[in-house]
Amino acid sequence: MNDPETVQRNAVRDYYETGSGAEVTLHANEEAWQSLRFRPRILRDVSRVGTAIDLLGASLPHPLLVAPSALHGLGHPDGERATARGAAAAGALMVLSMRSSVPAAEVGREMNGSPWWYQVYATGRPSVALTLTQQAVDAGASAIVLTGDTPIVGRKRRATPGIVANAMHVENLRRTVDPSITAADVTQDPSATLDLIRALADRYRVPVLVKGVLRGDDARLALEAGAAGVIVSNHGGRQLDRAIASADALPEVVAAVDGAAPVIVDGGIRSGVDAMAALALGADAVMLGRPILRALMAGGSDAIRALLDQMRTELVEAMQLVGTADVDQLTPDLVVRSK
Ligand SMILES: Cc1cc2nc3c(=O)[nH]c(=O)nc-3n(C[C@H](O)[C@H](O)[C@H](O)COP(=O)(O)O)c2cc1C
């Protein structure tokens, strides 16, 4: 079982699955959704269920989105191209990570007219992030997601040093930005502030969402600083271990935003039932991280499409059983936290 291919595959799986620290938040994310219980309504007409949403100008058939995650090339030879094909086939908006293993232009082609967004970090050499973002916007990215919870990269519990390097990302940057780029050029910039939101919005003229929001006051500050939406996230338990579970942070953020902008949530969402709970608590859409990466490794674009189709079916069935015919009628009174 120790052949090099197996060792590499296990290392990639560890890299995808790991959380930071003692992985308390990693597990808390899933547990927090599961601790919610529903208060179904009965004898409502649920013969037809609507899941379509509008999100910052994008008309989507359902509210299940692909979260930005790094290095899909480790999990599948086609990398993010495979993810894009699967997402587009299932009508899911994909957020492409700046730490992609393939150029944004290729992902844009695979999305084939379906909406997709581009996620950026503040990097040590700002010109790298700016060039990449320009390329993504030119390739059709219709919004920017600024990830704000990564002033430094959280120390991962199960990352095998040396086996899963950033090499693919850097290689992609050398091809698409500048042949002299090194890993140091794309380290995080811990001095970045909320001012970056307005700078990005002014420069690229597309909506900027801020990802990693876990507090109501931060959501307000992000909106005041020019954000067009917020994403409630603790980075899938990969940044501050023991950060609050995203299901627990969501109601406070929804209350603070008070309908002024879309609120998206990710972290531990594993089923259509989890997604329904998030929507009932006020999220406009949900994003999936590891489920997409697992499907990518298992079967590329077809498996990603099958996963998204299944979760959409689960969402429809859950809505029928909870007695709600449209996603915009999912309300907090449908949910209660179990003791
Ligand atoms: C392997 C991996 C890589 C990730 N890379 C990024 C990234 O490049 N940018 C980012 O904003 N978030 C990144 N994330 C966080 C995801 O966008 C998302 O917040 C998280 O995976 C959601 O939790 P879930 O995996 O439980 O669904 C990454 C997550 C994983 C698992």
Side-chain angles (χ1 to χ4, degrees), residues 126-337:
S127 63
V128 178
L130 296 179
T131 305
L132 285 170
T133 308
Q134 187 65 57
Q135 289 175 350
V137 171
D138 291 345
S142 55
I144 294 170
V145 171
L146 171 64
T147 297
D149 60 11
T150 314
I152 60 167
V153 176
R155 199 172 285 270
K156 306 294 187 298
R157 187 179 177 116
R158 284 176 280 161
T160 317
I163 294 191
V164 178
N166 229 356
M168 272 181 178
H169 171 52
V170 175
E171 203 184 293
N172 173 28
L173 298 181
R174 290 204 180 120
R175 268 186 291 148
T176 50
V177 181
D178 177 346
S180 72
I181 280 179
T182 66
D185 294 326
V186 285
T187 51
Q188 302 301 132
D189 174 7
S191 72
T193 67
L194 290 162
D195 294 343
L196 190 52
I197 301 169
R198 182 94 55 203
L200 289 169
D202 287 349
R203 189 176 179 117
Y204 300 104
R205 305 269 158 209
V206 295
V208 176
L209 298 95
V210 177
K211 174 169 181 273
V213 174
L214 291 172
R215 303 169 51 109
D217 53 1
D218 261 10
R220 293 291 331 161
L221 288 172
L223 296 185
E224 283 160 22
V230 296
I231 302 177
V232 176
S233 173
N234 50 40
H235 217 112
R238 292 166 81 84
Q239 284 298 104
L240 177 63
D241 191 31
R242 291 202 260 148
I244 184 172
S246 35
D248 294 332
L250 178 63
E252 178 185 326
V253 173
V254 167
V257 170
D258 195 20
V263 176
I264 300 170
V265 66
D266 74 19
I269 294 170
R270 300 292 175 261
S271 67
V273 178
D274 293 338
M276 181 170 82
L279 299 168
L281 289 179
D284 295 281
V286 304
M287 299 202 304
L288 310 170
R290 291 180 185 80
I292 296 289
L293 293 169
R294 289 173 196 151
L296 177 71
M297 278 189 95
S301 56
D302 288 349
I304 288 176
R305 179 190 184 156
L307 165 78
L308 288 160
D309 286 349
Q310 180 183 323
M311 281 190 64
R312 183 184 181 179
T313 301
E314 288 169 3
L315 172 62
V316 167
E317 290 174 356
M319 287 172 61
Q320 289 176 305
L321 292 172
V322 92
T324 302
D326 199 280
V327 280
D328 65 15
Q329 292 160 21
L330 288 167
T331 44
D333 58 282
L334 294 168
V335 176
V336 65
R337 194 167 296 279

